[in-house]
């Protein structure tokens, strides 16, 4: 626990904890709405904002945040235009964001070194401004998920049925997209652009597979996310590895272990049922033989 | 009281019209079947009626209130194959309870009344024993029954059901038709249902909307006042 004596580690744990809870809950909804790639796409768009901020000498954190939110709004409108193939909108904006960030980065070669912390995350990168942004995002996100949990449930299952239930689907969907942009931008200092989606997608992927109900899936996902981030940050500090990659690797390990354990339990259960069936079978066969004897003396 | 109207409606997908001259009226307390061959735009007709699709031409109106002046509650059961989200990590109880989410505030506490409505809906659809199962583990017929249970739990004024008996066995279908007949005749509810089994339900129906192939192109919507006679184009 020596690491917690450092200010930057305290900030990293606070920020990581907040983001883990929020991103993992968001992940469940994103996966169920088949928008798993949205986090990846928004992080690339956000990188363009950071590069733009650095180029025009405006606070890169703020520009990255704003561009991610704008990207989320654009993707929501494109998703409605390409209703059947909504991943097209993700691909279009991702390409746009990445190409723009590469151009802006190449135009400003003097600041390229600091981009590595945005790409792979850094525990020391979490400054006071970013912590405040994360805190504000966490409060907004918590309120959004709590008060709109029922409409979000209906929308995630089927948007058309939700609309007939009187749910203002376009508005809630837009709000959800904006919140996704905010969470992605807020999570970037910890896990970095390239791995931000791991924090959103991996805990939710495991939770969806093992949870007995929808509300349980949200809480399980949050628990896995929190545990993954704390374990990853600790390992990152001890091994001097980038936090983004370490957290993503820990979460991936959790996913593999979780799925393996679930499959093993399932197999053992099936085997036990089979054994129980086989134990009953000789009696049945014996009875059948006796019956045959009676019918064919 | 008129709940929904389609007047001279034309609609299509990707610039190709699939429904033309659709004229349908849905009145409170009616039991209406929508029928026609595969690809005749039956589901499209329901979606136009519900306002989920906007017509290219013509008028589609849906009342915002029921006959008592309260907000119109709609129990929509879409075609299962097209819409059922099998990977959704929800159990049956939770899923059927979500039918109550539209009733009243989104964040009010679910009370005894709501849980009783869920219990009743599960009982009517013979799915009480499935209440703790995950919805993705159910068979096609069971999925269909829990979708109906969700609509029932809502206690809507208007049921809009797209092939609700798909995957159901004979006994379940008969139970379902009895249930809908009771909803219309005893409870004064309105039912609009797409079906291919007209003979099983025709004795309970007030009207049949049949989609027939128009000679030139696309499909045309026709209505009859009785399903026992020939189908006569409206207007």
């Amino acid at each position: 626990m020596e690491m917690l004596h450092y200010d930057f580690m305290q900030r990293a744990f606070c920020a990581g904890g907040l983001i883990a809870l929020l991103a993992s809950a968001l992940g469940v909804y994103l996966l169920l709405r088949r928008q798993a790639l949205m986090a990846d796409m928004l992080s690339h768009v956000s990188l363009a904002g950071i590069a733009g901020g650095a180029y025009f000498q405006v606070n890169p954190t703020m520009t990255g945040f704003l561009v991610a939110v704008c990207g989320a709004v654009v993707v929501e409108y494109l998703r409605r235009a390409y209703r059947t193939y909504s991943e097209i909108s993700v691909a279009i904006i991702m390409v746009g964001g990445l190409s723009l960030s590469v151009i802006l980065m190449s135009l400003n070669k003097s600041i390229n070194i600091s981009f590595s912390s945005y790409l792979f995350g850094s525990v020391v990168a979490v400054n006071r401004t970013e912590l405040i942004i994360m805190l504000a995002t966490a409060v907004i996100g918590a309120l959004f998920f709590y008060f709109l949990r029922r409409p979000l449930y209906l929308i995630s299952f089927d948007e058309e049925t939700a609309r007939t239930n009187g749910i203002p689907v376009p508005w809630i969907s837009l709000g959800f997209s904006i919140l996704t942009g905010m969470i992605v931008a807020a999570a970037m200092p910890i896990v970095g652009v390239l791995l931000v989606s791991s924090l959103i997608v991996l805990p939710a992927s495991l939770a969806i597979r093992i949870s007995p109900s929808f509300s349980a899936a949200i809480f399980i996902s949050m628990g896995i996310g929190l545990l993954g981030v704390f374990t990853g940050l600790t390992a990152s500090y001890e091994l001097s590895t980038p936090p983004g990659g370490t957290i993503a690797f820990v979460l991936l390990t959790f996913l593999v272990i979780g799925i393996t354990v679930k499959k093993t339990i399932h197999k053992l259960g099936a085997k036990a049922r089979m054994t129980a069936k086989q134990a009953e079978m000789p009696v049945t066969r014996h009875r059948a033989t006796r019956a045959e004897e009676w019918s064919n003396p | 009281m008129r709940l929904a109207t389609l007047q001279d409606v034309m609609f299509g997908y990707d610039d190709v019209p699939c429904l033309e001259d659709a004229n349908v009226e849905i009145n409170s307390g009616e039991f209406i079947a929508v029928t026609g061959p595969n690809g005749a735009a039956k589901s499209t007709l329901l979606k136009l009626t519900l306002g989920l699709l906007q017509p290219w031409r013509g008028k589609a109106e849906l009342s915002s209130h029921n006959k008592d002046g309260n907000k119109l509650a709609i129990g929509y059961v879409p075609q299962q194959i097209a819409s059922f989200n099998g990977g959704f990590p929800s159990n049956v109880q939770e899923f059927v309870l979500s039918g109550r989410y539209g009733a009243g505030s989104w964040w009010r506490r679910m009370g005894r009344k709501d849980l009783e409505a869920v219990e009743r809906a599960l009982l009517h659809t013979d799915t009480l024993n499935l209440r703790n199962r995950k919805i993705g583990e159910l068979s096609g017929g069971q999925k269909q029954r829990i979708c109906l249970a969700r609509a029932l739990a809502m206690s809507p004024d208007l049921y809009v059901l797209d092939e609700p008996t798909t995957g159901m066995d004979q006994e379940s279908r008969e139970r379902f038709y009895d249930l809908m007949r009771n909803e219309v005749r005893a409870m004064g509810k309105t039912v609009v249902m797409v079906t291919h089994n007209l003979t099983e339900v025709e004795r309970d129906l007030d009207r049949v909307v049949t989609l027939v192939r128009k000679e030139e192109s696309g499909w045309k919507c026709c209505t009859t006042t009785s399903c026992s006679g020939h189908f006569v184009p409206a207007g």
Side-chain angles (χ1 to χ4, degrees):
Chain A
M1 289 293 115
E2 167 223 328
M3 62 182 173
L4 290 177
H5 292 140
Y6 297 108
D7 256 10
F8 71 90
M9 280 310 285
Q10 286 172 6
R11 272 201 302 271
F13 267 83
C14 283
L18 283 174
I19 289 303
L21 292 174
L22 210 52
S24 314
L26 171 78
V28 174
Y29 292 107
L30 276 179
L31 289 195
L32 295 176
R33 299 186 77 198
R34 297 184 174 91
Q35 291 182 302
L37 283 175
M38 193 164 163
D40 245 338
M41 179 273 293
L42 287 177
S43 66
H44 287 78
V45 169
S46 183
L47 186 65
I50 290 164
Y55 183 72
F56 295 109
Q57 294 178 342
V58 187
N59 185 347
T61 309
M62 291 307 290
T63 50
F65 190 84
L66 288 174
V67 170
V69 170
C70 292
V73 174
V74 174
V75 85
E76 177 60 25
Y77 282 102
L78 279 178
R79 194 176 73 88
R80 288 177 204 174
Y82 294 101
R83 194 163 280 278
T84 323
Y85 302 103
S86 60
E87 67 272 19
I88 291 175
S89 58
V90 171
I92 293 169
I93 298 183
M94 198 185 227
V95 168
L98 202 55
S99 56
L100 196 61
S101 48
V102 169
I103 292 167
L104 287 169
M105 276 193 269
S106 67
L107 286 176
N108 197 352
K109 288 193 172 68
S110 59
I111 53 152
N112 273 0
I113 298 159
S114 64
F115 277 114
S116 69
S117 66
Y118 284 108
L119 289 175
F120 304 108
S122 164
V123 279
V124 286
V126 185
N127 56 38
R128 201 177 162 75
T129 317
E130 281 163 346
L131 196 59
I132 290 168
I133 286 180
M134 285 179 199
L135 200 63
T137 306
V139 171
I140 294 168
L143 291 173
F144 187 87
F145 287 135
Y146 179 75
F147 285 111
L148 298 179
R149 64 190 187 281
R150 288 175 187 160
L152 282 172
Y153 176 98
L154 294 172
I155 292 172
S156 303
F157 184 77
D158 175 28
E159 284 194 11
E160 286 189 340
T161 315
R163 278 175 67 185
T164 60
N165 280 19
I167 308 285
V169 176
W171 287 109
I172 292 178
S173 206
L174 183 64
F176 178 79
S177 291
I178 291 172
L179 184 66
T180 306
M182 289 168 72
I183 294 172
V184 167
M188 270 173 46
I190 296 276
V191 275
V193 170
L194 298 178
L195 295 163
V196 73
S197 64
S198 66
L199 198 54
I200 292 171
V201 172
L202 296 177
S205 306
L206 180 56
I208 284 172
R209 288 194 75 136
I210 62 174
S211 71
S213 67
F214 183 79
S215 35
I218 303 276
F219 288 113
I220 290 171
S221 181
M222 288 164 84
I224 295 166
L226 197 64
L227 190 65
V229 166
F230 285 176
T231 313
L233 281 176
T234 310
S236 162
Y237 175 83
E238 296 294 341
L239 305 169
S240 298
T241 49
T246 319
I247 290 168
F249 188 76
V250 167
L251 289 171
L252 194 63
T253 312
F254 284 177
L255 180 68
V256 172
I257 292 172
I259 290 173
T260 312
V261 169
K262 200 202 167 191
K263 277 193 173 168
T264 311
I265 291 171
H266 186 75
K267 267 187 189 168
L268 287 174
K271 211 173 173 182
R273 277 195 296 275
M274 192 82 105
T275 317
K277 255 188 185 174
Q278 276 172 349
E280 283 172 17
M281 269 179 76
V283 180
T284 321
R285 203 178 297 138
H286 176 69
R287 280 180 191 154
T289 317
R290 289 286 301 274
E292 276 167 25
E293 280 172 12
W294 278 97
S295 57
N296 304 308
Chain B
M1 183 197 167
R2 188 155 303 158
L3 294 181
T5 314
L6 292 183
Q7 199 181 326
D8 297 326
V9 163
M10 181 183 186
F11 184 79
Y13 296 97
D14 296 330
D15 302 329
V16 181
C18 65
L19 191 70
E20 288 177 62
D21 307 329
N23 287 287
V24 180
E25 285 170 2
I26 297 165
N27 300 309
S28 187
E30 280 187 318
F31 195 163
I32 301 171
V34 179
T35 187
N38 288 331
K42 299 184 290 295
S43 303
T44 302
L45 186 85
L46 293 192
K47 287 180 184 179
L48 285 162
T49 308
L50 290 170
L52 295 173
L53 296 172
Q54 296 306 313
W56 287 1
R57 203 181 63 203
K59 208 166 68 175
E61 283 179 345
L62 180 68
S63 171
S64 56
H65 294 90
N66 64 12
K67 61 183 176 188
D68 303 321
N70 299 320
K71 196 172 171 239
L72 184 76
I74 302 166
Y76 174 48
V77 178
Q79 213 173 13
Q80 191 211 104
I81 304 156
S83 72
F84 198 89
N85 192 344
F88 206 75
S90 193
N91 60 33
V92 171
Q93 168 85 17
E94 214 174 25
F95 180 75
V96 176
L97 186 64
S98 75
R100 304 287 300 171
Y101 291 172
S105 168
W106 293 340
W107 46 84
R108 75 181 167 84
R109 199 183 166 83
M110 287 283 137
R112 215 172 66 187
K113 204 175 151 193
D114 300 296
L115 296 174
E116 279 171 4
V118 170
E119 187 107 358
R120 222 171 19 249
L122 290 170
L123 202 68
H124 282 314
T125 51
D126 196 23
T127 49
L128 203 55
N129 57 331
L130 304 173
R131 67 192 313 166
N132 294 320
R133 293 268 301 275
K134 279 181 84 170
I135 59 172
E137 295 170 356
L138 305 178
S139 70
Q142 288 170 333
K143 281 175 186 161
Q144 195 67 37
R145 280 189 281 153
I146 62 159
C147 286
L148 289 169
R150 183 166 77 156
L152 277 173
M154 192 182 173
S155 190
D157 304 299
L158 170 64
Y159 287 92
V160 179
L161 314 168
D162 197 344
E163 298 191 34
T165 54
T166 306
M168 282 191 196
D169 57 33
Q170 177 77 25
E171 195 190 329
S172 302
R173 287 207 300 274
E174 278 169 14
R175 277 178 74 121
F176 164 73
Y177 294 136
D178 286 345
L179 188 63
M180 285 299 111
R181 187 192 312 120
N182 187 59
E183 288 287 298
V184 175
R185 305 290 172 235
M187 315 290 284
K189 304 291 175 71
T190 310
V191 177
V192 183
M193 179 175 78
V194 169
T195 183
H196 288 292
N197 304 321
L198 207 54
T199 46
E200 288 183 354
V201 72
E202 63 184 340
R203 64 197 159 96
D204 302 318
L205 296 174
D206 293 309
R207 268 187 310 132
V208 177
V209 175
T210 308
L211 292 163
V212 294
R213 190 180 284 278
K214 206 180 167 192
E215 277 182 21
E216 306 90 67
S217 63
W219 299 87
K220 190 167 183 174
C221 179
C222 313
T223 55
T224 63
T225 47
S226 161
C227 55
S228 56
H230 293 288
F231 299 138
V232 182

